[in-house]
Amino acid sequence: MAGAIDIRVKRVYEPAQPADGQRVLVDRLWPRGVSKEKAALTLWLKDIAPSDELRHWFDHKAERWEEFQRRYAAELAGKDEPLRQLGNLLDNGRVTLLYGAHDERHNNAVALAAWLQAQK
């Protein structure tokens, strides 16, 4: 992932758009009520998602956001293969990270995008 990366974050429940580029679901669990066709995924990288333990601890509580990001970054350090796959997509243009959570500001896709931006 040399140079600037073009990464966006979007709820998987929003309609797919051509401007999304490569669409990558970064949740461990498949989102309820979304068909594979509607999701229009390039890739489902469930192995890049936070561990079940971290996901349950965070529970989308805003007051845990900073600590969640720190813990998730520590987990990402051991996820070489999914990070390589995501890096390959980012090397070829825009990638939209998709998530299913209701909270648009405090979720793993937002944390992952920020972490990736910091790595460039």
Side-chain angles (χ1 to χ4, degrees):
M1 290 184 294
I5 58 174
D6 188 358
I7 194 163
R8 300 206 177 169
V9 177
K10 184 176 182 178
R11 281 193 86 214
V12 70
Y13 298 100
E14 296 177 38
Q17 300 292 327
D20 291 343
Q22 306 288 323
R23 293 171 49 88
V24 180
L25 180 62
V26 294
D27 282 349
R28 186 169 302 281
L29 305 174
W30 187 263
R32 287 184 186 205
V34 176
S35 69
K36 292 190 192 268
E37 295 75 30
K38 185 178 177 186
L41 297 182
T42 303
L43 185 62
W44 179 16
L45 273 181
K46 59 184 166 185
D47 291 337
I48 209 166
S51 65
D52 285 335
E53 178 182 65
L54 180 56
R55 187 172 54 84
H56 289 295
W57 172 84
F58 175 47
D59 197 28
H60 296 283
K61 293 182 178 170
E63 65 272 13
R64 295 181 178 173
W65 178 239
E66 295 300 322
E67 180 64 14
F68 169 77
Q69 290 179 96
R70 189 190 67 71
R71 291 182 186 190
Y72 185 33
E75 287 187 359
L76 287 169
K79 297 180 183 268
D80 295 340
E81 180 56 24
L83 286 171
R84 184 193 62 74
Q85 290 177 283
L86 189 53
N88 288 342
L89 292 176
L90 286 163
D91 286 343
N92 292 301
R94 177 174 295 153
V95 171
T96 297
L97 302 178
L98 302 170
Y99 66 93
H102 292 288
D103 189 331
E104 295 180 4
R105 295 184 306 158
H106 305 105
N107 63 68
N108 62 295
V110 170
L112 177 58
W115 185 86
L116 289 166
Q117 290 285 1
Q119 303 305 305
K120 65 177 184 154

